[in-house]
Amino acid sequence: MRQRPGHDLEASPSKATRTSGRLGDQSAEPEGALLVSDVTPLPVHLDKVVEGLAQNPALPPELVRRLFTHRGVLGGVARRPDLTDDMIAEIITVDDPWLTHSLALNRGLPHAFRMVLAEHSDPAVRAALVVGAESAPRELFERLLDDPDPRVRQQLAESDHVPADLRARLAADPDPKVRAAVAQWWTQAPEPVRRLLLTDPEDAVRAGACATYYPRLPRPVPPADLLPELLADPVTRAGAVRHCTLDADTARRLADDPEADVRQELAEHPDLPPPVRDILAVDPSPLVALSVFARQDTPASTRAAIHARIMSEEPSANWLTDLHADLDDNALEQQLMGELARRKLRTLRLPWITADPLPYVDSPYVCFRASAAQSDDLPARVVARLLEDEESSVRTTMALHAGSRIDAATAERIERSYSPVRKARWRPADSLPLPAGVLRRLASDPDPRMRQLAPRDPDLPVELVRRLAADPEESVRRAVVTHPRLPARDLTKLLDDSSESVAAAAAAHPRLPPRHMHQLLALAGL
């Protein structure tokens, strides 16, 4: 076990005790601990188990307090919703950086303690207060508005919970990073505030105020009288393109812009003249060409050529590691942009196709068929066809929009054949729930991805729950470890699981016997 900062290994169970995997002096155990004959192995991932225990909603108050001195929990215990005032005061007194920071993030923290932490010497703690202060009174924001550390004021600038008049003052903050945060995050700020940001002397602030991406939607619309100035400014030009009135001369000038972001925004403009569209169709940037591909007015032959170009350049699965070390920056950027264009092509969904789907249900382009499948009003024969599409994304999209026409067998088939285009936790069964009978059958499925679904049945027979708890696949054990019908003896075995996440989840289970909670803290030297 790795040594934790501030944790003296000499204070841990003796070497003989640790080697045998048993507690040593049982007579020193508090009330509720195990008897000598009823002992707990030393978990492989003790620190992670203690972290999980810190999240356990059934952890008795006296054990919660013992965690305040543990330096390996990374403060998780301070985010508990059941902390009493005495506990909160004790955490503040301990003043461990992780604990105090986590306490500041606790959304249930009483306001009086928030005001105490607003005076804390660590700016990270004061900034964390803003994150957790969804329902905080105005007093807290007024106190932090003049904080000497710009990181705190930047967090205020990003928060929608700050009263509008106070947030507006940050648009004139002396630190440009704070003003840029207001510009990026407060997209619906009053017009005087937006004007101030759009005309800021700092490039970064103006760029944030007139951008192609914002962390919040809807996008802001610049005042019309500022558009000529914004188009003339290199740092705001790309963000201004979509809002400008596009004449032929302006379109030709923007098509020659050296920045690909400007040309990409131009390629998406609804009033783009066809001659300029055709120029952008062969743009060196694949992302610009992809924007032309997605236009409704793009000729079929042009669309086919763009698709062929993007897909013909698709590299091997290990393309990033195979890049030659002697590639210059331009060549490397072209490789990266090509890969980004291919990923965007696979996930592209076009509203104009969804609005009129029938002409595109047999399209050679996967993204077109998936866009058509987003329609909720397709004829039954078309729904059936798209549910059998060769591409997982099309089948899945159709299943999500077919409503009551999806039976259990179809839902299982869609789930079984699902192939995500990127790593994501979502899976079709999250939106297409399977009946209990199917889930119980899946407990014995050869595919571990399908066995993971069985614990979604809250009444899963205990013998199946136990079998899944002993499954050779970590992902299956992780899925069943939180099941309400998992017997205590099987749950406690998972405390010593080879997987950190499984062991931590077992410790967080509210049905973990109190005597095991006591022993885990003793094993951790608490």
Side-chain angles (χ1 to χ4, degrees):
M1 181 181 69
R2 65 178 175 85
Q3 184 172 357
R4 296 180 295 277
H7 182 74
D8 184 3
L9 285 180
E10 295 299 323
S12 302
S14 69
K15 181 177 180 181
T17 299
R18 294 169 62 80
T19 302
S20 65
R22 308 294 191 193
L23 275 181
D25 183 10
Q26 296 286 338
S27 63
E29 284 302 308
E31 183 180 354
L34 293 177
L35 301 176
V36 176
S37 60
D38 191 7
V39 291
T40 300
L42 180 69
V44 178
H45 304 292
L46 182 58
D47 280 352
K48 290 295 182 182
V49 167
V50 176
E51 285 184 35
L53 191 62
Q55 310 299 321
N56 194 314
L59 191 67
E62 67 273 15
L63 300 191
V64 172
R65 290 181 181 276
R66 285 165 64 179
L67 284 167
F68 295 165
T69 60
H70 186 61
R71 299 298 180 262
V73 184
L74 302 183
V77 67
R79 290 194 293 271
R80 293 180 63 93
D82 58 354
L83 295 176
T84 64
D85 287 359
D86 288 346
M87 290 178 178
I88 294 171
E90 185 175 341
I91 291 173
I92 293 176
T93 300
V94 171
D95 201 25
D96 173 75
W98 286 110
L99 274 176
T100 309
H101 186 270
S102 294
L103 183 65
L105 291 170
N106 192 322
R107 299 184 186 278
L109 188 66
H111 178 58
F113 289 107
R114 283 203 176 101
M115 294 306 295
V116 171
L117 292 179
E119 304 292 338
H120 198 277
S121 59
D122 186 352
V125 170
R126 303 196 301 273
L129 280 173
V130 181
V131 177
E134 292 181 1
S135 57
R138 179 184 179 90
E139 179 187 16
L140 176 67
F141 301 117
E142 287 178 329
R143 165 63 187 83
L144 297 174
L145 195 67
D146 296 319
D147 195 281
D149 195 295
R151 289 173 293 178
V152 178
R153 305 196 305 275
Q154 185 173 338
Q155 193 66 59
L156 286 169
E158 296 177 5
S159 174
D160 292 335
H161 308 302
V162 179
D165 63 313
L166 299 182
R167 201 176 188 186
R169 286 167 52 185
L170 294 170
D173 192 275
D175 193 303
K177 290 184 179 178
V178 176
R179 303 197 303 273
V182 177
Q184 275 280 296
W185 289 80
W186 198 10
T187 59
Q188 299 305 296
E191 184 172 323
V193 174
R194 297 301 306 177
R195 281 182 174 275
L196 186 64
L197 297 167
L198 287 166
T199 56
D200 194 279
E202 289 285 340
D203 286 358
V205 179
R206 298 196 311 279
C210 188
T212 59
Y213 166 79
Y214 295 91
R216 292 280 191 271
L217 292 175
R219 293 171 179 264
V221 178
D225 62 296
L226 290 183
L227 278 173
E229 181 180 344
L230 296 174
L231 278 174
D233 186 350
V235 304
T236 58
R237 185 175 300 143
V241 168
R242 68 176 57 209
H243 304 290
C244 72
T245 300
L246 196 63
D247 55 50
D249 291 340
T250 302
R252 292 190 190 95
R253 184 175 71 254
L254 293 174
D256 291 331
D257 195 276
E259 293 296 328
D261 286 351
V262 174
R263 305 194 304 274
Q264 184 176 349
E265 288 292 316
L266 176 64
E268 297 175 8
H269 199 289
D271 299 327
L272 183 67
V276 180
R277 177 201 63 205
D278 296 341
I279 293 172
L280 296 176
V282 292
D283 192 275
S285 168
L287 292 173
V288 175
L290 179 60
S291 293
V292 177
F293 170 90
R295 293 182 62 89
Q296 186 172 4
D297 64 355
T298 297
S301 59
T302 302
R303 201 184 322 272
I306 294 172
H307 188 273
R309 167 193 164 187
I310 292 175
M311 298 307 296
S312 67
E313 297 172 357
E314 186 162 9
S316 65
N318 299 319
W319 68 275
L320 193 56
T321 58
D322 293 341
L323 288 176
H324 296 297
D326 58 350
L327 279 179
D328 60 32
D329 289 346
N330 289 335
L332 178 59
E333 182 180 5
Q334 194 68 16
Q335 290 265 22
L336 293 172
M337 291 303 100
E339 176 61 17
L340 182 57
R342 285 183 288 276
R343 293 190 180 192
K344 290 187 69 173
L345 180 61
R346 288 192 289 269
T347 59
L348 190 64
R349 300 295 181 265
L350 302 171
W352 57 269
I353 290 180
T354 305
D356 182 24
L358 292 181
Y360 305 100
V361 295
D362 292 316
S363 170
Y365 310 124
V366 174
C367 59
F368 277 28
R369 302 199 303 276
S371 297
Q374 286 186 321
S375 172
D376 298 324
D377 300 313
L378 291 171
R381 60 178 178 79
V382 175
V383 170
R385 183 189 314 169
L386 293 175
L387 286 173
E388 298 288 345
D389 196 275
E390 62 182 2
E391 289 291 334
S392 171
S393 62
V394 178
R395 298 192 301 270
T396 302
T397 302
M398 188 68 265
L400 295 177
H401 289 268
S404 60
R405 289 179 281 189
I406 299 298
D407 57 21
T410 302
E412 180 181 348
R413 175 172 63 81
I414 296 296
E415 171 62 56
R416 191 177 291 278
S417 62
Y418 176 60
S419 177
V421 296
R422 61 167 70 95
K423 289 184 178 180
R425 291 186 177 182
W426 184 89
R427 55 192 300 175
D430 295 340
S431 300
L432 305 171
L434 297 169
V438 173
L439 294 175
R440 296 178 188 188
R441 171 169 52 79
L442 293 179
S444 303
D445 197 274
D447 185 349
R449 279 192 68 259
M450 303 306 288
R451 295 201 299 277
Q452 290 171 30
L453 295 174
R456 298 190 178 201
D457 174 13
D459 298 317
L460 193 67
V462 172
E463 61 270 20
L464 295 181
V465 175
R466 296 191 68 197
R467 181 194 305 171
L468 293 171
D471 197 278
E473 289 288 336
E474 170 190 339
S475 60
V476 178
R477 301 194 304 276
R478 180 64 185 86
V480 78
V481 69
T482 57
H483 199 279
R485 304 194 72 187
L486 181 63
R489 63 183 179 277
D490 298 277
L491 175 62
T492 55
K493 288 179 183 178
L494 293 176
L495 293 170
D496 194 33
D497 198 89
S498 59
S499 162
E500 288 185 350
S501 65
V502 173
H509 200 299
R511 292 188 62 211
L512 185 69
R515 62 184 185 277
H516 285 270
M517 297 177 181
H518 280 278
Q519 274 219 321
L520 289 173
L521 293 182
L523 289 169
L526 302 173

